[in-house]
Amino acid sequence: MDAHESAERIAEVFADFQSYFSKEQDLREEIRSTVRELEQTAREIHAVLQKVHQKDGSENVVNVCKSTESNFETARKQFKELSAKIPENQYYRFNDHWKYALQKLSFLSALVTYLKTEKLVSREETAAMIGVKLRQAEGFHMDLDDYLIGLLQMASELSRLAVNSVTAGDFHRPMRIAKFVAELDAGFRLLNLKNDALRKRFDGLKYDLKKVEEVVYDLSIRGLKPVEGT
Amino acid sequence: MDAHESAERIAEVFADFQSYFSKEQDLREEIRSTVRELEQTAREIHAVLQKVHQKDGSENVVNVCKSTESNFETARKQFKELSAKIPENQYYRFNDHWKYALQKLSFLSALVTYLKTEKLVSREETAAMIGVKLRQAEGFHMDLDDYLIGLLQMASELSRLAVNSVTAGDFHRPMRIAKFVAELDAGFRLLNLKNDALRKRFDGLKYDLKKVEEVVYDLSIRGLKPVEGT
Amino acid sequence: MDAHESAERIAEVFADFQSYFSKEQDLREEIRSTVRELEQTAREIHAVLQKVHQKDGSENVVNVCKSTESNFETARKQFKELSAKIPENQYYRFNDHWKYALQKLSFLSALVTYLKTEKLVSREETAAMIGVKLRQAEGFHMDLDDYLIGLLQMASELSRLAVNSVTAGDFHRPMRIAKFVAELDAGFRLLNLKNDALRKRFDGLKYDLKKVEEVVYDLSIRGLKPVEGT
Amino acid sequence: MDAHESAERIAEVFADFQSYFSKEQDLREEIRSTVRELEQTAREIHAVLQKVHQKDGSENVVNVCKSTESNFETARKQFKELSAKIPENQYYRFNDHWKYALQKLSFLSALVTYLKTEKLVSREETAAMIGVKLRQAEGFHMDLDDYLIGLLQMASELSRLAVNSVTAGDFHRPMRIAKFVAELDAGFRLLNLKNDALRKRFDGLKYDLKKVEEVVYDLSIRGLKPVEGT
């Protein structure tokens, strides 16, 4: 192989590599574009749910929740589209692109579920509401971390709802929220978390719990705390 | 569901989550342990190949290369073990653990191949030497980035070899290295790299090329440059 | 062309370049000087509007707003002067010089408009109040970002006003501010913001909203919340 | 305007803003895509010009330069496409996207011009070679800074060429390069540069000049310096 041949061969090989990089670049562009749509859907659900913080909405929680159903339908369709774009075995390669949107939708499904039933959404229910699988082996799925971060975001929104419920004249709801957030806190304390994003988010839970407890304290001290069973 | 039941249920669910996290923690420990062995193998190969920088070894490159064969055999076995530990579809989840070792072995296979044949190792040859697959779909594989970073590490080692060859009285080798590194540089220039680890490493290639060119320059100016064809 | 000529020619060409750089430097000085005057005008308007945080001013909002009119007149004149200095097509070249002043005047026009009408100022109204165009194609204009950053600065000022209204014995105003800031927040939630200055500023809106909600909460819990319609 | 109407109106207005942001996002995507193509063209020209550093190419500079002509043709077409995408008056708004590509092509046109004529390319010639205007008023143009940064990149490449010319046995070329880079350095010293990217790049010119001077020194001290006129 003389000098000329060797240079030519290297050039050819690298041209192949460039075509590989170009394809990856294009794929990332497509993923980003679908994720942007998902984020828009999440923002719209969140904007609708803001109504529960105001008097009108807080008295009509069921209808507010109902009006997000078509948006969740859209989210499920968008996750299906996204899922179709990801090459087999490469979920974790591109994971960073949709991680934030997935956590936000996990949060929103936990919030809607609490508002409707005052119970903790399960992983299974969250996965079903947003249209992803539960386990890696099944395909495009939601990691346990993402589900748990969604719960922590819900706790933060609920502490704000406790405050605004008082404003709306509802003194029962803050009591129930306080109990629920305390249970959630007890649950998280069972976990031995690594020093990662989830742990950092969990560190904020104590402030949400404190806030809710202060609301209950304010009601108690002013004799506004409802008698249980009323 | 009364208050007590709800707290119990949340505790149960979170205990399940903790068992999931414990399993993951154990898996990470096992991966780390195998990767430590791989890194040891890579260090041993690198130590053996250092001999080519000295007069004895530089005159006996073929034997030096041959003596690394059993280490490459070990590396292949270790990658097999590692591969068996990774759950399906989760290569990219744990990727960071072995990325560095994989790049170093890619570098070492490129260096051995150059020393033996004075040609550029192909991706296929590298994958075969270190016992990994070429494509994600086939299983535990080597990414294009890791192969390319290996080539860049080789260029750096070759610029050092050019200097030491002069010391050892071999004035032909620097000429051939200069040509080879220039071709490699021309190849890399065809790539449109993102602003990532590979791009940063590529930015260092120009210094390696410059170093080699200065060696050849020093030979020329002192009349030590061999006549072509000798 | 002999050696001497080539050196002469290069010197001549670079002397031309220096004259170009000098002219640009002068232009920047002139722009900076006009912008300093604009910033002074903005500071004066802001100082006058501070009165609404005090009992006297809060009862006399219309007059306080009225007394800023001549300052807005001055601002319009100063933007006209500034606009005349910017070479065609180069708005975005020198944009950084006046961006801050433009945002502050956008904020002030939003604040005055809210104080007078309790409505959200439109982009059109803001542009008219401070004497800039609405679209790039029309000349010296205000970007959408600058208008939105002005709104966010207003939300921050309004959260302070909610607190001070309570002090001044006005328990209605905080209720109206809470509702307005919540609507603004819902609006901003619909936007898909890049990770830039606007996004960073928007991240602060939740604290302003929280502050206002806490004021209303304090009124509720103390039985000071006005009955709707009074 | 009752409460419901006000919230609806704000939502509508912000939906309009989001549509504005989406359009801008799309435009940026399109710009990025064309700029990527321009960068690819620049890389190809640069890869071709690397040949002058090797013996074959250095003896055949005219042909090497000639073979870049079709790439420059492509660059001109790509700048035309890019130019068509930029809304009137908004060159400086999106400027950061193509600044790097523009500087690299300015460098390449300076290098090709020097290799062919051993003269300094003028701004006019550079603009014509890469298909952009000379002045803002004329449309999509090249700033003086970009032209000058291109010259500084050329000086760096020429210092490398001086080294490799000696290797190729050409002792005349380093002398001419030394003279040219010294003239360029004298030209730049006439400029009163702000503390910006251009100034930082200019600070590197002294190292390029030093390198070239050392080559000439090495030739002199070994009696290899050609007598002038030979």
Side-chain angles (χ1 to χ4, degrees):
Chain A
M1 181 180 285
D2 69 24
H4 195 242
E5 266 177 2
S6 143
E8 293 266 297
R9 184 179 151 254
I10 290 183
E12 251 172 63
V13 168
F14 275 79
D16 272 2
F17 295 161
Q18 176 51 31
S19 107
Y20 172 90
F21 282 132
S22 295
K23 264 181 222 142
E24 196 198 295
Q25 185 92 17
D26 292 348
L27 176 55
R28 282 190 193 272
E29 278 310 324
E30 279 186 58
I31 292 174
R32 261 186 225 116
S33 151
T34 312
V35 168
R36 265 200 298 273
E37 289 165 22
L38 259 167
E39 288 171 345
Q40 180 62 27
T41 305
R43 266 194 307 278
E44 282 169 20
I45 298 175
H46 202 185
V48 169
L49 290 177
Q50 291 307 299
K51 287 182 197 153
V52 302
H53 291 290
Q54 282 155 0
K55 200 171 167 54
D56 287 2
S58 74
E59 287 164 354
N60 209 349
V61 159
V62 176
N63 282 344
V64 171
C65 290
K66 218 175 169 54
S67 67
T68 65
E69 280 173 15
S70 69
N71 289 117
F72 275 104
E73 175 79 43
T74 306
R76 285 191 290 274
K77 238 170 46 202
Q78 288 166 337
F79 269 120
K80 205 170 192 174
E81 274 174 49
L82 181 58
S83 164
K85 291 190 200 308
I86 312 305
E88 216 185 334
N89 294 342
Q90 302 195 28
Y91 177 91
Y92 286 109
R93 186 169 192 204
F94 300 107
N95 191 17
D96 282 344
H97 289 294
W98 57 76
K99 204 163 192 52
Y100 172 81
L102 191 51
Q103 291 170 352
K104 185 150 191 196
L105 280 155
S106 158
F107 149 55
L108 293 167
S109 69
L111 183 59
V112 163
T113 303
Y114 177 80
L115 290 172
K116 289 201 298 196
T117 68
E118 308 220 341
K119 286 191 191 143
L120 184 64
V121 77
S122 67
R123 281 180 79 192
E124 288 75 7
E125 288 159 349
T126 298
M129 275 180 83
I130 65 184
V132 296
K133 304 293 185 191
L134 209 60
R135 263 169 290 275
Q136 287 101 341
E138 298 170 282
F140 196 101
H141 70 284
M142 176 188 65
D143 267 334
L144 178 54
D145 293 55
D146 300 325
Y147 163 70
L148 292 173
I149 285 181
L151 298 188
L152 292 167
Q153 293 179 7
M154 172 186 59
S156 184
E157 189 88 13
L158 289 183
S159 82
R160 212 184 124 211
L161 183 58
V163 169
N164 291 322
S165 297
V166 172
T167 304
D170 179 353
F171 303 155
H172 287 80
R173 187 182 286 278
M175 312 304 294
R176 299 193 308 270
I177 287 176
K179 191 176 160 300
F180 181 70
V181 174
E183 285 164 11
L184 207 57
D185 183 69
F188 270 98
R189 284 179 191 284
L190 298 175
L191 303 181
N192 180 11
L193 300 174
K194 284 182 298 171
N195 202 7
D196 61 359
L198 177 55
R199 164 69 169 272
K200 222 176 128 185
R201 203 71 179 68
F202 166 58
D203 288 344
L205 180 56
K206 61 168 169 280
Y207 301 107
D208 297 323
L209 180 57
K210 195 163 160 267
K211 182 80 218 163
V212 178
E213 288 173 348
E214 285 167 1
V215 170
V216 173
Y217 165 85
D218 283 341
L219 290 175
S220 305
I221 213 157
R222 284 172 184 80
L224 299 172
K225 200 179 124 183
V227 180
E228 261 174 67
T230 65
Chain B
M1 181 179 286
D2 69 26
H4 195 241
E5 267 179 3
S6 142
E8 293 265 296
R9 185 179 151 253
I10 289 184
E12 252 174 63
V13 169
F14 275 79
D16 273 3
F17 295 162
Q18 176 52 30
S19 106
Y20 172 91
F21 281 134
S22 296
K23 265 181 223 142
E24 195 198 296
Q25 191 81 19
D26 292 348
L27 176 54
R28 280 190 194 271
E29 265 320 311
E30 282 186 57
I31 291 173
R32 262 187 224 112
S33 152
T34 313
V35 167
R36 267 196 297 271
E37 290 165 21
L38 259 167
E39 287 169 347
Q40 179 60 26
T41 306
R43 265 195 306 277
E44 284 168 20
I45 299 175
H46 202 184
V48 169
L49 290 176
Q50 292 308 298
K51 288 182 198 155
V52 301
H53 290 291
Q54 282 149 6
K55 198 167 169 57
D56 286 3
S58 74
E59 286 165 354
N60 209 348
V61 159
V62 176
N63 283 344
V64 171
C65 290
K66 214 171 174 55
S67 66
T68 66
E69 279 172 15
S70 67
N71 291 116
F72 273 105
E73 175 77 43
T74 306
R76 284 192 291 274
K77 237 171 47 202
Q78 289 166 337
F79 268 120
K80 206 168 192 175
E81 274 174 51
L82 180 59
S83 164
K85 293 191 199 305
I86 311 306
E88 214 184 336
N89 293 343
Q90 301 194 31
Y91 177 91
Y92 286 108
R93 188 171 188 201
F94 300 106
N95 191 15
D96 282 344
H97 289 294
W98 57 76
K99 204 162 193 52
Y100 172 81
L102 192 51
Q103 290 170 353
K104 185 148 191 197
L105 281 155
S106 158
F107 149 55
L108 293 168
S109 68
L111 182 59
V112 164
T113 304
Y114 177 80
L115 290 172
K116 290 201 296 196
T117 67
E118 306 221 339
K119 284 189 192 148
L120 184 65
V121 75
S122 69
R123 280 180 81 192
E124 288 75 8
E125 288 158 350
T126 298
M129 275 179 84
I130 65 185
V132 296
K133 306 291 185 192
L134 209 61
R135 263 169 292 274
Q136 287 102 343
E138 298 169 284
F140 196 100
H141 68 284
M142 177 187 66
D143 267 333
L144 178 53
D145 291 57
D146 299 325
Y147 164 71
L148 292 173
I149 285 181
L151 299 187
L152 292 167
Q153 293 179 5
M154 172 186 60
S156 185
E157 188 88 13
L158 289 183
S159 82
R160 212 184 123 211
L161 183 57
V163 169
N164 292 324
S165 298
V166 171
T167 307
D170 179 351
F171 302 156
H172 286 81
R173 188 183 285 278
M175 313 301 295
R176 299 194 307 270
I177 288 176
K179 193 176 159 300
F180 181 69
V181 175
E183 284 164 11
L184 206 56
D185 182 71
F188 270 97
R189 280 176 194 284
L190 297 176
L191 302 181
N192 182 7
L193 301 174
K194 283 182 299 171
N195 203 5
D196 61 0
L198 176 56
R199 165 68 171 274
K200 223 176 128 183
R201 203 72 180 66
F202 164 58
D203 288 343
L205 178 57
K206 60 168 169 280
Y207 301 107
D208 297 323
L209 179 56
K210 206 161 153 268
K211 182 78 220 164
V212 177
E213 288 175 347
E214 284 166 1
V215 170
V216 173
Y217 163 85
D218 284 339
L219 292 176
S220 305
I221 212 151
R222 285 176 181 78
L224 299 173
K225 203 182 114 181
V227 180
E228 263 173 66
T230 65
Chain C
M1 182 181 285
D2 69 26
H4 195 241
E5 267 179 1
S6 144
E8 293 265 297
R9 183 177 154 255
I10 289 183
E12 250 173 65
V13 169
F14 275 78
D16 272 2
F17 295 161
Q18 177 51 30
S19 105
Y20 171 91
F21 281 134
S22 297
K23 263 181 224 144
E24 196 197 296
Q25 190 82 19
D26 292 348
L27 176 54
R28 281 190 194 272
E29 265 320 313
E30 281 186 58
I31 291 173
R32 263 188 223 112
S33 151
T34 311
V35 167
R36 268 196 295 272
E37 289 166 22
L38 259 168
E39 287 170 345
Q40 179 59 27
T41 305
R43 266 194 305 277
E44 284 169 19
I45 299 175
H46 201 183
V48 169
L49 290 176
Q50 291 308 298
K51 289 182 197 154
V52 302
H53 290 290
Q54 283 149 6
K55 199 168 167 57
D56 286 3
S58 75
E59 286 165 355
N60 209 349
V61 159
V62 177
N63 283 344
V64 171
C65 290
K66 215 170 173 56
S67 66
T68 65
E69 280 174 14
S70 67
N71 289 116
F72 275 104
E73 176 77 45
T74 306
R76 285 192 289 274
K77 238 170 47 201
Q78 288 166 337
F79 268 121
K80 205 169 193 174
E81 274 174 49
L82 180 58
S83 164
K85 292 192 201 308
I86 311 307
E88 215 183 336
N89 293 343
Q90 301 195 29
Y91 177 91
Y92 285 109
R93 188 171 190 201
F94 300 106
N95 191 15
D96 282 344
H97 290 293
W98 57 76
K99 205 164 192 49
Y100 172 81
L102 191 52
Q103 290 170 352
K104 183 146 192 199
L105 280 155
S106 158
F107 149 53
L108 293 168
S109 68
L111 183 59
V112 164
T113 303
Y114 177 79
L115 291 172
K116 289 201 297 197
T117 68
E118 306 221 340
K119 284 189 192 146
L120 184 66
V121 75
S122 67
R123 281 179 80 192
E124 289 75 8
E125 289 159 349
T126 299
M129 276 178 83
I130 64 184
V132 296
K133 304 294 186 189
L134 210 59
R135 263 169 291 275
Q136 286 102 342
E138 298 170 282
F140 196 100
H141 69 284
M142 177 187 65
D143 267 333
L144 178 53
D145 291 57
D146 300 325
Y147 163 71
L148 292 173
I149 284 180
L151 298 187
L152 292 168
Q153 293 179 5
M154 172 186 59
S156 187
E157 189 86 13
L158 289 182
S159 82
R160 213 185 123 212
L161 183 57
V163 170
N164 291 325
S165 298
V166 171
T167 308
D170 179 353
F171 303 154
H172 286 82
R173 189 182 286 277
M175 315 301 295
R176 300 194 307 268
I177 288 176
K179 194 177 157 299
F180 182 70
V181 174
E183 285 164 10
L184 207 56
D185 182 70
F188 270 98
R189 280 176 194 282
L190 298 175
L191 302 182
N192 182 6
L193 300 175
K194 283 181 299 170
N195 204 5
D196 61 359
L198 176 56
R199 165 68 171 274
K200 223 176 129 184
R201 202 74 180 66
F202 164 59
D203 288 343
L205 179 56
K206 62 167 168 282
Y207 301 107
D208 298 322
L209 179 56
K210 204 162 155 267
K211 182 77 220 163
V212 177
E213 287 175 349
E214 285 167 1
V215 170
V216 174
Y217 162 85
D218 285 340
L219 292 176
S220 305
I221 211 150
R222 285 176 181 78
L224 300 173
K225 203 182 114 182
V227 181
E228 263 174 67
T230 65
Chain D
M1 182 179 284
D2 69 26
H4 195 242
E5 269 178 0
S6 143
E8 294 266 296
R9 184 179 152 253
I10 290 183
E12 252 173 62
V13 169
F14 276 79
D16 272 2
F17 295 161
Q18 176 52 29
S19 108
Y20 171 91
F21 282 132
S22 296
K23 263 181 224 143
E24 197 198 294
Q25 186 92 16
D26 292 348
L27 176 55
R28 282 189 194 272
E29 278 310 324
E30 281 187 56
I31 291 174
R32 263 188 223 112
S33 150
T34 312
V35 167
R36 266 199 297 273
E37 290 167 21
L38 259 168
E39 288 172 345
Q40 181 61 27
T41 305
R43 265 194 306 280
E44 283 169 18
I45 298 174
H46 201 184
V48 168
L49 290 176
Q50 292 307 299
K51 288 183 196 152
V52 302
H53 291 291
Q54 283 154 359
K55 201 171 167 54
D56 286 3
S58 73
E59 286 165 355
N60 209 347
V61 159
V62 177
N63 282 345
V64 171
C65 290
K66 217 174 169 54
S67 67
T68 66
E69 279 173 15
S70 68
N71 289 116
F72 275 104
E73 174 78 43
T74 305
R76 285 192 291 274
K77 237 170 47 200
Q78 289 167 336
F79 268 120
K80 205 169 193 176
E81 274 175 47
L82 180 59
S83 164
K85 291 191 201 307
I86 312 306
E88 216 185 335
N89 295 340
Q90 299 195 32
Y91 177 91
Y92 285 108
R93 187 169 190 203
F94 300 106
N95 191 15
D96 281 345
H97 290 293
W98 57 76
K99 205 164 191 52
Y100 172 81
L102 191 52
Q103 290 170 353
K104 184 148 192 196
L105 280 155
S106 158
F107 149 54
L108 294 168
S109 68
L111 183 58
V112 163
T113 303
Y114 177 81
L115 291 172
K116 289 202 297 198
T117 67
E118 307 220 339
K119 285 188 193 147
L120 183 66
V121 76
S122 68
R123 280 180 81 192
E124 289 75 7
E125 288 159 348
T126 298
M129 274 178 85
I130 66 186
V132 296
K133 305 293 184 189
L134 210 59
R135 263 169 292 274
Q136 287 100 343
E138 298 169 283
F140 196 101
H141 69 284
M142 176 188 65
D143 268 333
L144 178 54
D145 292 57
D146 300 325
Y147 164 70
L148 292 174
I149 284 181
L151 298 188
L152 292 168
Q153 293 179 7
M154 171 186 61
S156 186
E157 189 87 13
L158 289 183
S159 82
R160 213 185 124 211
L161 183 57
V163 168
N164 291 323
S165 298
V166 171
T167 304
D170 178 353
F171 302 155
H172 286 81
R173 188 183 283 278
M175 314 303 295
R176 299 194 308 268
I177 288 176
K179 189 174 162 301
F180 181 69
V181 174
E183 284 164 10
L184 207 56
D185 182 71
F188 270 98
R189 284 179 190 285
L190 298 176
L191 302 182
N192 180 12
L193 299 174
K194 282 182 298 172
N195 202 6
D196 61 0
L198 176 56
R199 166 68 172 275
K200 220 175 131 186
R201 203 73 178 67
F202 165 58
D203 289 343
L205 179 57
K206 61 169 169 281
Y207 301 106
D208 297 323
L209 180 57
K210 194 161 161 271
K211 181 81 220 163
V212 178
E213 288 172 349
E214 285 167 0
V215 170
V216 173
Y217 164 86
D218 283 343
L219 292 176
S220 305
I221 212 152
R222 284 172 182 80
L224 299 173
K225 200 179 123 182
V227 181
E228 261 175 69
T230 64

